[in-house]
Structure formats: structure tokens, C-alpha cells
Amino acid sequence: MTIAIELGASPAGQPVRLDLEELLSTRLLVQGNSGSGKSHLLRRLLEQSAGHVQQAIIDPEGDFVSLAERFGHVVIDAERTQSEIGRIAARIRRHRASVVFNLEGLDADAQMRSAAAFLSGLFDIERDYWFPMLVVVDEAQLFAPAGAAEISEEARRASLSAMTNLMCRGRKRGLAGVIATQRLAKLAKNVAAEASNFLMGRTFLDIDMARAADLLGMEKRQAESFRDLNTGSFVALGPALSRRPLPVKIGFVETGTRNGRPSLMPLPDMASGDLQGLIFEDDGLAPPAPAGRLAGPSAEEVLDQIEHATAPVAPEPDAEAAAAIEAEREALVEEIVLQFVADPEAPFRSAATLYPDFLVHCRVRRVGSRIPDLAEFTRRLAIARAGVAGAGGEGRDAEWRRAVEQAGNLPEEMQGVFLLIARAGMEGAPSPADEELARAYGSRSPSRGRWLLTYMEERGHLVCENDFRGRRVVRFPALGWKTAPGDPKGASATA
């Protein structure tokens, strides 16, 4: 059964239809200068075909996110790591979900890298999941440029290779490329040449008209008629559209773009002096203060979890009195440890060097006979230096206990650093900088922070990835946590 969708109407009022099954085999190129109605055409195509075929839209300006509310598309923020984007793309094909891959907010280099990772993820899926899918790429000249641009050569090659795979080899994998561009002359020829269907909109530049005439098999004199097209009017040609060039006026759409066409509006009715005051006035607003850390259980509670996880204490005959004594002892030990952390030079002295002073403080404060040994003191000091003694939070004690248990598999002096990163992952906070990790470990060298991450990653405790802006993301596979992107070279938050 042939499935055809109605794009619009011809000048005679006859409906102009697009054969979806034919499109899956022959691909589509849409061309038109800014304001010609390309985005409106793509939206019409997507809305009319939404119930018939899976869709993926690569959206550099966030224009198509409105499809989510009406048609159930999943909006994917592209500000992720390369491997994460690849995994998401694979799951999209397995579950046949229609998505909008939103690149808004990324610079040109990051957009190209993200789009390349996404397209490669769709392309490299196993044969069992080669289901039909429309892959719509808006502003395709950004991702398949005809020549060198002001982006890195690595990003250009990766993006151009992914676009070439989509248009040249995607058909066998069920991928039907639909590419739209403002400037045909700026689109790589090997990408444009793979399309057999064309919708040409208003075009003014001679070089673009020459390329259009070449693709359509028209004389240049005929292609000059593209200058006279109105907004939303296109010339259709191809096996999925028409065997002869056919003018078409694109029909209405149900969803709208966030940008839309610019329209004139009245200027504010103000005197020149009033406007100067608004422009140059100092509003006196201070920059927003950074968000505080999430509240959590007390340091005594966290340390109690750690101690009981490794050295259970036998119950005393009078449980209530024993608990009160233990709580008082814990409070004294915690207070002493925090005194060492507060000393400006203490963070850069080893636990073994500080331990004799710790013993003296414990005797002076009458902690009792159950004074922590060197290993336990090292663990407590590391946690206090990392500032994670209050992690967890209401309803998250069980989750945090799992992190504490995993930290127990590391050397005592590293456990606080691990918990510092784990806390960021649990809260979705940015990954700590190298300097902050080093300081939590007791070092002034940021390279020590990088070494700590490598050590933990090699032993399977975490996975480090970089996004396309060079920011670090740390994942904890065993815990299901992930930090937000953070600058590895950023200033220490604890300095």
C-alpha cells in the first residue's frame, strides 16, 4: 500500500502529494534563501508523516522542539558526551522513538561534533534494528560544508563523513535523509548529489541558481524563475513528488516555531533622556550568589555509617546509655578532625604526620580508650578534607551508603576524594576541578587530581568523559549517578 502525504496545492488547486515509501529510497533536498519558508515546509512534512514513520530531526536552532507536545517527539539536549550521544542514538533506533536533537546553545564546532556522534549512532546500529526512519537535517550546510570553515578540521571531517554516510549509505539501513539548506553552493556536492527529490524555494544568488539548475537538469534561464517565488512556494521534482517541475504552495501546519517571522511593532513612546537613563543606569544588582550545597545528615551520622560498615560494635547491656556515650565520643572526634582541616597548612600535611597531634588532642579532650587508629584517622581526615561529611539527605541515606561502601574498596586517603566526586554525581552538580580534587587529597598539584581520577577509573569505580566543550563528566556505573559537565581546569571551590 502506497502512503502519500499532502504537502500543499498546485497553482490549479490540485493537491500535491509526497510518496513516503518512495522517499525512503530516494531522499530529499530542500533549498531556499532565508525567509523562503524552508522550516515551514519541513514542519508540514514532519506533521503529516508523524503517524507513519519514525523521525529524527537535527535542529541547530531549537525550532522543532514544539513537535514534542503535539506529536510526542522526545527532545534530546545535545550538550552531552560523544559516547553518551551514541548510546542514546542506538536506543532511539531500537525503540523506534521519534526525537528532536536540539543543538541550540552550542558553538559551531560543538554542533558539528554532536551531530556527527548522533548520526553515527543511528547509522552503526545492528541489522536487526534497521527500521525505516526519516532523518531531517535543518541548515545542512553547517554539517556538510562545501569548503573549509572557521571550525576545526577534525570536527569538519567527522560531520561531513556522517552526513555522507546518511545520504550515500543510509538507505540500506532504513535511513532516509531530508536535508534543508539556505545556500546550495555552500553544501558539499557529494551530499547534495545523492538526493533524487527536490523542493526549490526562493533563491537570489546566481551561484545558487546555477547549482539548482544543474541538480534539476534545467537551463539557467529556467532556474532564474526561482527569484519570483513567494514565501512558502516551492518547485517540486523527483520520483516521490513529480516527474516534471511542479509549483506547490505549502499547506498549513499545526505547531509553531519559537522564532517565527519578524514583524514590525511600535517603538516605545519615551523621550530621549528617559531612554538614556534606562540604558546607562546602574541597577545596583549584585551578581547572583552560587547555589548552596544540599542539606544532608550530620557528619556524625555519615561517619557512624562508615564505622559500622567496617567495625561493628558489640551491644552494651544498657543500650541507651551506651548510645549516648558513643554519640558524645563521635562528636569529640569529629570536632578534632575538623580542627585539623581548618588549619591553613594542615590540608597539605600527610595523615601520618598529623596523627601524633591527633592523639594528643584526643587525650586532652578525654575521648576515651577507643581512639581511631591511623587507618581510621586517615579515612576521617580524607572525608573531612573533601567536605562530604554531610552528604546524603532526606530519603537518600541508602543511596549514599552504597557510595560509602564502594569508597571502602579504595585506599583510606582516596576515599574522601571519591566521595567528593560521588556527591557531585548524586546531586547532579558539576564535576570538581583538578585543583579541588588535589586539595581534598592533600596536594597543591592539580596533576595529582587527574592522577586520582585515572587511578579510580582503571579500577572500575568511575568513568570519565569529556563533552564537546572540553568539560569533564564523571559517571558512576555501579551507582547510576552522573555529574554535570565541569571545567577540569576551573578554580578550586574549596580554595
Side-chain angles (χ1 to χ4, degrees):
M1 181 181 66
T2 299
I3 298 176
I5 61 171
E6 187 173 323
L7 284 182
S10 68
Q14 297 297 318
V16 176
R17 294 184 172 89
L18 173 70
D19 187 335
L20 272 182
E21 291 185 343
E22 187 68 30
L23 176 63
L24 291 173
S25 301
T26 53
R27 298 166 291 279
L28 171 65
L29 169 63
V30 180
Q31 194 270 339
N33 291 159
S34 179
S36 62
K38 292 188 311 302
S39 296
H40 180 85
L41 185 157
L42 293 178
R43 190 175 295 275
R44 173 76 178 186
L45 169 62
L46 290 165
E47 290 181 358
Q48 294 295 308
S49 62
H52 302 292
V53 65
Q54 183 186 3
Q55 302 171 347
I57 304 103
I58 294 183
D59 186 5
E61 298 295 339
D63 287 340
F64 295 95
V65 297
S66 55
L67 291 170
E69 184 175 351
R70 174 65 180 83
F71 296 97
H73 289 60
V74 179
V75 178
I76 300 171
D77 183 4
E79 199 159 342
R80 303 172 184 271
T81 65
Q82 180 174 352
S83 60
E84 188 176 9
I85 291 173
R87 291 192 296 270
I88 290 173
R91 288 196 289 268
I92 289 169
R93 296 217 67 184
R94 292 190 185 102
H95 299 291
R96 304 189 69 183
S98 290
V99 301
V100 178
F101 191 59
N102 184 16
L103 294 160
E104 185 181 20
L106 297 181
D107 59 33
D109 195 272
Q111 283 192 346
M112 295 185 81
R113 293 174 185 272
S114 297
F118 183 71
L119 289 173
S120 297
L122 298 178
F123 185 85
D124 294 335
I125 194 66
E126 300 91 340
R127 182 181 291 270
D128 292 342
Y129 304 105
W130 288 3
F131 302 117
M133 172 189 266
L134 284 185
V135 182
V136 177
V137 183
D138 196 14
E139 306 296 351
Q141 76 279 356
L142 300 177
F143 308 106
E150 294 182 1
I151 40 90
S152 68
E153 181 64 16
E154 181 186 357
R156 189 189 73 84
R157 287 179 178 272
S159 183
L160 182 56
S161 174
M163 288 287 288
T164 303
N165 279 339
L166 169 66
M167 298 300 288
C168 298
R169 302 170 57 202
R171 182 182 64 82
K172 291 184 178 180
R173 290 165 171 77
L175 301 176
V178 177
I179 57 177
T181 180
Q182 292 186 24
R183 294 293 316 281
L184 198 52
K186 290 189 175 182
L187 181 65
K189 290 185 177 181
N190 61 326
V191 171
E194 293 299 324
S196 301
N197 301 284
F198 305 94
L199 283 161
M200 297 296 180
R202 186 172 57 203
T203 305
F204 289 103
L205 296 179
D206 289 343
I207 188 172
D208 290 328
M209 284 190 293
R211 282 287 305 275
D214 183 52
L215 285 172
L216 297 177
M218 301 170 61
E219 295 181 3
K220 184 178 179 181
R221 177 178 51 81
Q222 293 174 294
E224 289 180 355
S225 62
F226 294 152
R227 283 198 178 104
D228 302 324
L229 291 173
N230 295 321
T231 299
S233 294
F234 290 80
V235 175
L237 178 65
L241 290 161
S242 171
R243 300 294 176 176
R244 296 288 185 271
L246 176 65
V248 54
K249 175 68 175 178
I250 305 302
F252 295 104
V253 296
E254 300 178 43
T255 60
T257 177
R258 293 187 300 173
N259 299 327
R261 289 177 60 84
S263 58
L264 295 175
M265 59 186 299
L267 294 172
D269 185 13
M270 289 186 180
S272 175
D274 295 336
L275 287 174
Q276 288 184 14
L278 291 174
I279 294 170
F280 298 109
E281 179 183 19
D282 183 3
D283 55 16
L285 294 177
R293 299 198 174 195
L294 298 180
S298 65
E300 291 84 356
E301 292 173 331
V302 174
L303 291 173
D304 185 62
Q305 293 172 13
I306 297 173
E307 181 171 341
H308 283 73
T310 55
V313 180
E316 297 292 336
D318 188 345
E320 185 175 348
I325 294 172
E326 181 64 18
E328 183 179 358
R329 186 190 73 84
E330 276 293 321
L332 286 173
V333 171
E334 178 67 19
E335 185 179 342
I336 294 170
V337 171
L338 291 177
Q339 286 179 359
F340 284 99
V341 174
D343 184 350
E345 288 302 315
F348 307 107
R349 297 170 60 191
S350 67
T353 304
L354 294 173
Y355 187 64
D357 293 339
F358 172 74
L359 293 177
V360 172
H361 281 76
C362 286
R363 294 189 183 100
V364 171
R365 301 292 295 276
R366 299 182 180 180
V367 169
S369 59
R370 292 186 60 248
I371 296 176
D373 59 15
L374 176 59
E376 180 64 15
F377 171 70
T378 302
R379 186 209 307 260
R380 290 172 181 262
L381 182 65
I383 292 173
R385 280 173 170 171
V388 294
E394 185 177 353
R396 307 201 70 172
D397 286 350
E399 294 181 68
W400 184 247
R401 191 177 297 112
R402 290 169 54 210
V404 172
E405 290 173 356
Q406 185 173 349
N409 297 320
L410 289 165
E412 289 85 355
E413 65 273 13
M414 291 188 185
Q415 293 178 18
V417 180
F418 175 84
L419 293 176
L420 171 65
I421 311 169
R423 173 171 169 170
M426 182 179 69
E427 299 175 355
S431 170
D434 293 337
E435 183 181 347
E436 186 174 355
L437 298 178
R439 185 178 179 86
Y441 186 70
S443 171
R444 289 187 173 91
S445 172
S447 63
R448 178 61 64 176
R450 294 190 292 274
W451 175 83
L452 288 166
L453 285 173
T454 302
Y455 181 93
M456 297 178 193
E457 185 171 21
E458 288 176 347
R459 285 151 183 80
H461 292 284
L462 48 81
V463 177
C464 294
E465 300 171 337
N466 288 336
D467 67 9
F468 295 103
R469 293 182 176 178
R471 298 175 301 178
R472 182 167 59 216
V473 176
V474 182
R475 292 191 297 108
F476 297 85
L479 302 172
W481 297 343
K482 181 182 72 171
T483 70
D487 183 1
K489 298 180 181 179
S492 171
T494 58

